[in-house]
Amino acid sequence: MAVSVERNNNMTAVQTTQIESPAGAAPATKPTNSNNPAKKQQPQPSYAKQQPSASPATRKHEEFKNQLVHDVFGRDNKGRVPMEKVTMLIWQFRDDPAVVQFMAQFVARFSGSRSTYDGIEFYLPQIAHMIIHLEADWDEAILERFALVIAQQSQHFALQLTWILEGAIEDYQPETVEGKPNPGYNQLFYHRCITLLSNIERCVVYGSPRSMELQRMYEKGDISRDDYEQMKLEDRLNNAKQITTHGANFRNLMQRMKDTKISLPDLKLERKKGREKESATAAASSPTSAPSDPGSPTIMTATSNDKGKQISKYGGTLLYKRRARTALYKPKRWKNRYFEIEERMLYCYNFQPSYGGQLRRAMPLEGATVEEFEGKYPFMFVVRNHHFEYIIRAKSEKDMSLWIRLLRGESEANALIPHILSTDEMFQEKKVTGEDETKRSSPNTLTPSQAARYEFFRNERDFVAAVCDVAEVLRFREPSDRKKVAPGLVSDIKLPPCGYVPLCKSTDIWRRVDSVMASETRVFNTNERCPMIYYFIAKRGEPVGGTLEPRNPNLDVAEYLHTLFKVPDLENRRLTSIGEHADELQLGDSGDDSDDKDKGEVKVEEQDEDYDEFELTMEDPTERQNSVWSEDSKSSKSFLSSSMKGIKGNQQFREFMQESFAKLPSKIATRMTRPDGRAQSKRGGRMSYLDRNSAPLLNVPIIDTPIIENANDDDYDSAADSLSLDGQSIISAGTGSIVFGDTVKKFEHHDGVSKESLDRAKAVVCGGESWAEQSARMLQSAKIKGEEKDSSTLHEMVTMMAKSNDDLRQEVFVMQMIHYFESVFAKANIPVWLKTYRILSTSKSTGMLEFLTDATSIDSLYKSDKFPKVGGLRAYFEEVYGSPTSKCFLAAQRNFIRSLAGYSLVAYLLGLKDRHNGNIMIDTRGHIIHIDFGFAFGMAPGHEWSMERAPFKLTKDYIDVMGGPFSEGFKEFQKLFVDGLKAARSNSLNALGLVEIMMYKSNYPCFSGTRYGGGVSLKRFEKRLMLDVPDNKVEIKARKLIKTSIDHAGTKLYDVFQFHSNGYAY
């Protein structure tokens, strides 16, 4: 369906005309723009029910659908899925589950496109924030299931979402890792994060059950490409539904099954002091009532038709002591607490919750170790995970054995349907055969391929945690000892067999970490932290499993992991088609399905023993289509037209997306034409900026173009022009070196600066060795030390920074906003320069950052022995790049001006503060780069007493490099700043929406507290965008900002303050 819309007075006029439809399909419509009233009476779209005469409500409903289609597609989308619009619409209509569900289904349908998936990952912080924090009166599983569908396509996406959730868990858990009560504890948010975290793991372990069968059907020609893509999505939707319905959400489980409460007949615990002992059997006198004794151990059970009586929750009173991993151990008294095992969590209450007990602590049991503990008292055991350690005393040996068995079962369960013990397992006696109970066969035993996926997922998380933990350990060492002990700690890190540095996208090139250069590790000493620089040797172009396909050095992360873990363990079983009710399968469906459990589920039927699951064909394996990404040409087709294509497979699914429009309730149409209707009771009468604004959402494609090193351009080193592997040319995302066999190839980007000038710059900026030279030296050194010489595998250096004791989540968001504005400027053809680098927050206090190579801080530059003694930054430019009229000087000056304009814009728009010379860098080509965004959106050191009152930092040194305040260079800077501000202003709706989403119930320092909470930061951001300023006065205001910033007294005073307090040069 092609859509053409003309806006007039905030209304949308759409004309539809009949177009030819495929055989067997309903007629489609093709809207065209027309202002002629006589031509507006056209047939309604086929997805809407035809009526002889449309009622006003129906017409409004159709207008809303057309409006929604236009907002999603628009004339400037050029066939791509505009994730910026999708994200904003989900936020706008967050209290309408029908709209949220439609948008989630729409994006999931086209997630096979690389551009769409890049957009999903770019807006993941907003999607995750809405999943965690929205409190609407609709099923929260809509967005959760959408995330699970996307996670099945890329394990990298699953990892990124996992780290976001782990940070949120620390925000909302009952207590801090130091053992203190958490003032930010929120039971609802905590439960959501724990549930989704477990469900993501199940998605990773099980993947898409039918993916291999569908791929073989496509390769044999049994189904078309469109059939394959639609059936694959159907399989993922079905998998997400099963996981969210039967996974970790026991509350839904209890709603579908009959609940009873019983107590163990043979276990007794003492009542609290002053009360008589009572048999636990007496508590079962009423099967639906709570036990009479709040200290009695109880089991919550549910009866299932196929598995009989199942155990979903177990609780009882125990004595315990607690240790925190990061806290000093102090002797503590034993405490009586009520413990409960549920949803792979161990909850600790002051007493039984049915009697009003309050939650005191909670420990995730995933990956936890449970062991008997030899100590002063009998019947002791210990439960520990990454953060916590509980030492527990049971009443008897039998009681202890039962608790250990239950806890181990929860810690080791990784099945699609979680670990739910049977009554037989609960009451079974100890076996005398000597068989290890943890190794016994069970319905939840993982197959080899499932175990491989689980091991990868767990190992990658452990690897990232270990990398960050070294920085945490060094933080407590004396600064003089850190550099000595760091190499040894780095050498002790266990490298996983299939690990990688996750500072990338799913569509970025796969680089497997093979070894670490421990001796090259760099350590930075600061007052509160100990950041570290790691250097890993990575491999590209390795053979993947037993595939016969040519090696591809440019295989992306999602493709590599899919190929590596795609082989299923069917064990003489074959998957058949999904049930007939696939059209009812929706992301938000959470109804009672106990009576139709077979609907939409993958069925398994037994095959003959001579059935060959991996039947050989005459097809050339090198011609197989990739099963992760669909062809961009296919994905770029309009949504409705592709949905209405005839398919050989499931007829119901063909109508799945097509009918989504018709399922939207008519009340939303009324709200669409009445903006004030969006601020109803759900939001307490408060309207968001998006609700108050009637301007259309604009399309802003996020730019992220890799550098192709063999391009015919003088800016690139041509040494690698002929580098290829199995016919695949090598692509590099930046400067560096690659070892290919016995040959070392260096990649360098010049930006118009000559090699001689770069050599002079690197002597000052990076100690006389560029990153290309440094990485080549490391690779050659590693090969001399015995590195395997594989002439068909590429070796490459990967570097990154690890941090601890630092919450990087706010920096992640600020960098996302910088990346957004970079895309806005690129769309407007404004040649400013910004360096958008990767930042990954792995918890509330740890993270990883992309290390900026061939660059140093202005502070270090000023302190260098080779920096000119007089003349400042201008003298440095002339000494390094040549005379002011030379080609190299002008190129470096241009780089400086364009980067200064870019960072002046984002520093002003985003309210970046703490801009001392330790947080501003310069590279060998003359660009300046801002780092460290702990103070943003007006939040500043000193708060109301901040010295940084200038709109942005513009020192005399900067102006001298441009040629002075009356030079052509300064005029170019002014023009770039004015044009950039106008472009940001024109594209403000999406930017304000991103801030508004992340500000909602936010823990970011720049959005919370009395100074910056309550929407204060958003109002200031809106003011900086000058939305209330007439268009003809924007340039005057922008030039006034520049004039105010020039050599501002507050800027100079803050530099002086930082010099005396922290030693930063100025």
Side-chain angles (χ1 to χ4, degrees):
M1 178 179 182
V3 182
S4 179
V5 181
E6 180 176 343
R7 290 184 178 270
N8 186 15
N9 297 327
N10 297 327
M11 297 297 292
T12 305
V14 177
Q15 178 182 350
T16 60
T17 57
Q18 196 76 19
I19 61 175
E20 185 178 355
S21 302
T29 59
K30 181 180 181 181
T32 58
N33 181 43
S34 175
N35 291 325
N36 187 351
K39 295 183 179 181
K40 290 185 178 180
Q41 300 299 327
Q42 298 291 337
Q44 292 189 3
S46 61
Y47 48 78
K49 294 183 178 180
Q50 302 292 336
Q51 297 180 358
S53 59
S55 64
T58 301
R59 288 196 297 270
K60 288 182 179 180
H61 187 48
E62 293 303 315
E63 290 175 2
F64 166 74
K65 289 186 293 186
N66 292 330
Q67 173 89 22
L68 193 60
V69 171
H70 172 266
D71 282 341
V72 173
F73 289 99
R75 284 177 288 184
D76 60 341
N77 290 336
K78 298 180 181 178
R80 58 178 288 275
V81 177
M83 274 305 300
E84 63 277 9
K85 295 182 180 180
V86 170
T87 305
M88 293 305 108
L89 286 172
I90 289 176
W91 173 249
Q92 269 189 287
F93 293 93
R94 57 192 177 274
D95 56 350
D96 280 313
V99 177
V100 176
Q101 180 173 297
F102 164 73
M103 299 309 300
Q105 292 167 345
F106 168 75
V107 177
R109 171 65 181 83
F110 290 99
S111 62
S113 166
R114 283 185 172 88
S115 61
T116 301
Y117 211 91
D118 284 346
I120 294 172
E121 290 192 331
F122 181 83
Y123 292 101
L124 176 59
Q126 284 71 35
I127 295 171
H129 196 80
M130 288 189 283
I131 292 174
I132 296 169
H133 296 97
L134 283 183
E135 293 178 333
D137 293 333
W138 45 269
D139 183 10
E140 71 232 30
I142 294 176
L143 286 178
E144 178 182 335
R145 290 177 183 174
F146 165 72
L148 295 179
V149 170
I150 303 304
Q152 293 174 66
Q153 188 159 343
S154 170
Q155 296 188 40
H156 175 74
F157 175 90
L159 285 165
Q160 300 288 315
L161 183 54
T162 293
W163 284 312
I164 292 176
L165 293 172
E166 287 182 343
I169 287 172
E170 292 184 59
D171 283 336
Y172 302 120
Q173 63 189 357
E175 62 177 349
T176 65
V177 294
E178 290 80 17
K180 300 178 181 178
N182 182 11
Y185 168 61
N186 185 297
Q187 186 174 1
L188 173 62
F189 297 163
Y190 182 70
H191 180 269
R192 285 184 181 181
C193 294
I194 290 293
T195 301
L196 183 53
L197 198 63
S198 298
N199 288 341
I200 290 172
E201 182 185 350
R202 295 184 180 99
C203 270
V204 170
V205 171
Y206 276 81
S208 297
R210 303 179 71 231
S211 60
M212 284 301 298
E213 182 196 9
L214 293 176
Q215 185 174 354
R216 286 193 294 271
M217 292 172 64
Y218 168 63
E219 291 169 353
K220 293 178 180 179
D222 295 339
I223 57 176
S224 67
R225 181 72 185 185
D226 289 334
D227 297 345
Y228 170 62
E229 294 297 334
Q230 293 194 21
M231 294 175 73
K232 185 169 63 173
L233 173 62
E234 181 183 1
D235 183 38
R236 290 173 179 160
L237 291 172
N238 178 67
N239 195 22
K241 180 177 183 291
Q242 290 188 63
I243 289 174
T244 54
T245 303
H246 301 287
N249 197 336
F250 277 87
R251 290 183 300 179
N252 288 347
L253 184 65
M254 293 306 171
Q255 292 174 4
R256 291 192 303 273
M257 301 177 180
K258 182 181 179 180
D259 297 346
T260 59
K261 290 185 178 180
I262 65 172
S263 58
L264 291 176
D266 55 350
L267 290 180
K268 299 178 182 179
L269 286 179
E270 293 185 2
R271 298 167 60 91
K272 290 188 175 181
K273 188 176 181 180
R275 298 184 182 181
E276 297 180 357
K277 293 184 178 180
E278 185 179 56
S279 171
T281 308
S285 57
S286 176
T288 58
S289 63
S292 59
D293 185 354
S296 299
T298 59
I299 305 172
M300 181 75 73
T301 68
T303 302
S304 171
N305 294 332
D306 56 344
K307 293 186 178 181
K309 188 171 289 185
Q310 306 293 310
I311 306 302
S312 64
K313 183 189 297 186
Y314 176 74
T317 302
L318 297 167
L319 293 170
Y320 97 108
K321 289 183 178 180
R322 178 188 176 280
R323 291 176 180 173
R325 186 178 71 93
T326 58
L328 295 175
Y329 175 70
K330 296 180 180 179
K332 298 180 177 66
R333 295 190 305 172
W334 291 97
K335 296 180 181 179
N336 259 316
R337 290 291 183 264
Y338 185 86
F339 284 86
E340 198 167 72
I341 303 173
E342 182 185 11
E343 304 183 34
R344 302 185 69 191
M345 291 290 297
L346 179 61
Y347 295 103
C348 175
Y349 299 86
N350 55 350
F351 55 91
Q352 193 165 337
S354 59
Y355 284 83
Q358 299 296 315
L359 182 66
R360 294 301 186 215
R361 293 177 174 85
M363 173 194 287
L365 290 174
E366 186 267 327
T369 58
V370 185
E371 300 171 339
E372 291 190 36
F373 184 75
E374 295 292 337
K376 180 179 179 181
Y377 302 97
F379 317 131
M380 295 172 60
F381 60 97
V382 61
V383 186
R384 64 170 64 90
N385 67 0
H386 186 65
H387 290 295
F388 304 130
E389 178 177 304
Y390 293 166
I391 300 177
I392 300 176
R393 285 172 58 190
K395 179 66 176 178
S396 65
E397 182 178 0
K398 193 171 185 178
D399 194 12
M400 178 187 70
S401 299
L402 176 59
W403 276 98
I404 290 177
R405 183 159 58 248
L406 295 177
L407 290 166
R408 284 179 177 172
E410 291 295 293
S411 67
E412 297 164 0
N414 298 289
L416 182 63
I417 297 176
H419 185 255
I420 303 179
L421 295 170
S422 66
T423 51
D424 292 338
E425 187 178 1
M426 280 288 300
F427 297 105
Q428 68 179 347
E429 295 295 332
K430 266 192 172 182
K431 298 181 180 179
V432 296
T433 59
E435 179 185 3
D436 187 354
E437 292 184 18
T438 62
K439 296 181 180 179
R440 67 180 183 271
S441 176
S442 71
N444 291 331
T445 301
L446 299 180
T447 65
S449 63
Q450 292 167 357
R453 287 191 288 269
Y454 171 70
E455 288 298 321
F456 162 77
F457 197 67
R458 185 187 65 180
N459 289 343
E460 179 64 19
R461 292 165 64 186
D462 290 345
F463 166 64
V464 170
V467 166
C468 296
D469 281 348
V470 175
E472 177 69 7
V473 171
L474 290 177
R475 190 166 68 90
F476 295 97
R477 301 296 294 263
E478 290 295 329
S480 58
D481 296 335
R482 292 173 180 175
K483 294 182 180 180
K484 298 177 183 178
V485 301
L489 295 174
V490 172
S491 299
D492 292 338
I493 295 177
K494 183 180 179 181
L495 300 180
C498 184
Y500 70 111
V501 176
L503 292 169
C504 58
K505 303 179 302 181
S506 291
T507 56
D508 284 342
I509 294 174
W510 168 262
R511 295 174 172 89
R512 184 183 69 83
V513 171
D514 185 64
S515 60
V516 59
M517 301 289 291
S519 61
E520 299 283 349
T521 303
R522 294 174 58 187
V523 177
F524 298 93
N525 290 323
T526 65
N527 295 333
E528 298 178 350
R529 303 175 185 93
C530 184
M532 299 177 57
I533 307 299
Y534 285 85
Y535 298 95
F536 296 103
I537 298 178
K539 287 186 176 183
R540 290 169 54 184
E542 293 181 290
V544 186
T547 180
L548 300 178
E549 298 183 16
R551 301 187 184 189
N552 184 359
N554 303 323
L555 204 65
D556 64 41
V557 174
E559 290 172 320
Y560 181 90
L561 295 176
H562 170 80
T563 306
L564 185 63
F565 298 116
K566 69 181 179 181
V567 180
D569 303 279
L570 295 181
E571 296 181 354
N572 211 32
R573 295 177 295 174
R574 188 179 185 183
L575 295 169
T576 59
S577 61
I578 292 177
E580 296 180 356
H581 301 276
D583 58 316
E584 299 176 3
L585 179 58
Q586 299 183 12
L587 290 170
D589 185 13
S590 62
D592 186 358
D593 59 355
S594 59
D595 296 330
D596 55 307
K597 61 183 179 181
D598 293 333
K599 293 181 181 181
E601 294 186 359
V602 177
K603 298 187 182 268
V604 179
E605 57 185 32
E606 298 296 329
Q607 298 294 320
D608 296 335
E609 291 184 2
D610 59 352
Y611 173 75
D612 186 4
E613 188 60 35
F614 300 96
E615 180 181 357
L616 295 176
T617 66
M618 298 299 294
E619 186 178 21
D620 182 0
T622 64
E623 296 178 357
R624 293 183 179 180
Q625 295 288 339
N626 189 282
S627 59
V628 176
W629 308 118
S630 59
E631 297 171 346
D632 288 344
S633 59
K634 297 288 185 183
S635 300
S636 63
K637 292 183 179 180
S638 68
F639 164 59
L640 288 179
S641 63
S642 63
S643 296
M644 287 187 285
K645 290 189 65 175
I647 63 173
K648 302 177 185 177
N650 205 314
Q651 171 67 21
Q652 288 80 6
F653 186 75
R654 184 185 66 184
E655 301 169 357
F656 174 61
M657 290 294 184
Q658 177 182 344
E659 295 178 354
S660 294
F661 286 105
K663 294 180 180 179
L664 291 175
S666 58
K667 69 169 185 175
I668 307 178
T670 303
R671 295 175 69 247
M672 189 71 180
T673 56
R674 184 165 53 87
D676 60 337
R678 300 179 192 169
Q680 296 301 321
S681 59
K682 297 289 193 310
R683 305 180 194 175
R686 295 177 60 186
M687 296 177 66
S688 71
Y689 181 83
L690 295 176
D691 294 330
R692 292 184 278 111
N693 194 284
S694 60
L697 289 167
L698 297 182
N699 185 25
V700 182
I702 302 301
I703 64 170
D704 194 6
T705 305
I707 300 172
I708 302 177
E709 301 298 347
N710 59 357
N712 295 322
D713 193 321
D714 292 338
D715 282 352
Y716 300 97
D717 190 334
S718 60
D721 285 352
S722 59
L723 187 59
S724 64
L725 175 62
D726 284 354
Q728 299 280 345
S729 62
I730 305 303
I731 297 177
S732 177
T735 62
S737 299
I738 289 178
V739 171
F740 186 54
D742 292 325
T743 307
V744 178
K745 302 289 186 180
K746 289 185 285 188
F747 303 97
E748 291 193 271
H749 188 44
H750 296 166
D751 269 336
V753 179
S754 68
K755 189 176 184 306
E756 293 75 16
S757 295
L758 288 177
D759 288 340
R760 290 191 292 268
K762 72 184 180 184
V764 186
V765 173
C766 44
E769 189 178 38
S770 68
W771 171 240
E773 295 167 342
Q774 182 184 5
S775 58
R777 173 180 56 81
M778 291 181 182
L779 289 170
Q780 289 174 323
S781 173
K783 290 177 71 64
I784 292 174
K785 291 181 179 180
E787 178 65 33
E788 62 177 354
K789 295 185 178 180
D790 185 353
S791 59
S792 59
T793 301
L794 284 79
H795 295 75
E796 191 172 0
M797 293 302 305
V798 176
T799 181
M800 47 79 63
M801 175 184 287
K803 273 190 171 184
S804 70
N805 195 38
D806 195 3
D807 191 345
L808 297 179
R809 290 176 293 180
Q810 179 174 298
E811 290 200 47
V812 172
F813 175 59
V814 174
M815 182 53 67
Q816 182 191 31
M817 294 299 298
I818 293 175
H819 199 164
Y820 173 80
F821 281 121
E822 179 188 31
S823 303
V824 168
F825 302 147
K827 178 187 174 186
N829 296 317
I830 302 172
V832 297
W833 188 93
L834 292 165
K835 171 62 178 178
T836 51
Y837 55 91
R838 302 282 180 182
I839 306 175
L840 174 63
S841 174
T842 57
S843 72
K844 189 177 180 180
S845 60
T846 60
M848 306 168 72
L849 301 91
E850 177 185 343
F851 182 60
L852 302 180
T853 58
D854 295 338
T856 190
S857 65
I858 298 291
D859 164 63
S860 297
L861 183 74
Y862 285 169
K863 292 177 180 178
S864 172
D865 294 336
K866 298 182 180 180
F867 188 78
K869 302 301 180 184
V870 294
L873 205 56
R874 172 74 182 202
Y876 163 76
F877 265 69
E878 293 181 1
E879 185 175 299
V880 169
Y881 303 111
S883 65
T885 58
S886 66
K887 180 181 177 181
C888 289
F889 179 91
L890 293 176
Q893 185 187 55
R894 180 186 66 242
N895 295 337
F896 181 86
I897 292 172
R898 292 180 176 181
S899 60
L900 179 64
Y903 279 105
S904 297
L905 282 164
V906 297
Y908 164 71
L909 291 169
L910 302 179
L912 303 182
K913 301 300 179 182
D914 197 27
R915 297 299 90 199
H916 56 74
N917 286 333
N919 286 338
I920 302 176
M921 304 184 73
I922 187 167
D923 68 13
T924 55
R925 300 180 298 279
H927 302 105
I928 67 165
I929 307 168
H930 283 232
I931 61 171
D932 196 345
F933 308 115
F935 293 92
F937 291 96
M939 177 186 175
H943 303 291
E944 292 87 352
W945 305 100
S946 172
M947 307 172 194
E948 297 178 278
R949 300 289 182 175
F952 53 89
K953 187 169 187 175
L954 187 59
T955 66
K956 181 180 181 299
D957 236 5
Y958 295 171
I959 296 175
D960 289 342
V961 172
M962 291 186 284
F966 305 105
S967 64
E968 293 298 320
F970 187 72
K971 291 179 182 178
E972 181 184 358
F973 167 81
Q974 289 177 306
K975 183 179 185 304
L976 291 173
F977 185 88
V978 171
D979 292 345
L981 186 58
K982 290 180 178 178
R985 187 170 175 266
S986 300
N987 294 269
S988 61
L989 198 57
N990 289 333
L992 286 162
L994 291 176
V995 173
E996 188 177 61
I997 293 172
M998 300 308 292
M999 187 181 64
Y1000 179 74
K1001 298 188 177 180
S1002 176
N1003 293 311
Y1004 292 177
C1006 61
F1007 295 145
S1008 57
T1010 56
R1011 293 185 176 94
Y1012 310 108
V1016 172
S1017 295
L1018 182 64
K1019 293 176 183 176
R1020 292 174 179 174
F1021 182 43
E1022 186 177 342
K1023 184 177 181 180
R1024 288 193 295 271
L1025 285 164
M1026 300 186 185
L1027 300 180
D1028 58 342
V1029 176
D1031 293 345
N1032 59 354
K1033 294 185 179 180
V1034 172
E1035 182 172 349
I1036 298 174
K1037 291 277 189 180
R1039 291 184 179 274
K1040 186 176 180 181
L1041 291 174
I1042 297 173
K1043 184 178 180 180
T1044 303
S1045 300
I1046 295 176
D1047 214 22
H1048 193 278
T1051 300
K1052 292 190 290 186
L1053 186 60
Y1054 190 68
D1055 280 341
V1056 172
F1057 169 76
Q1058 286 292 338
F1059 171 74
H1060 290 288
S1061 60
N1062 294 309
Y1064 294 119
Y1066 68 97

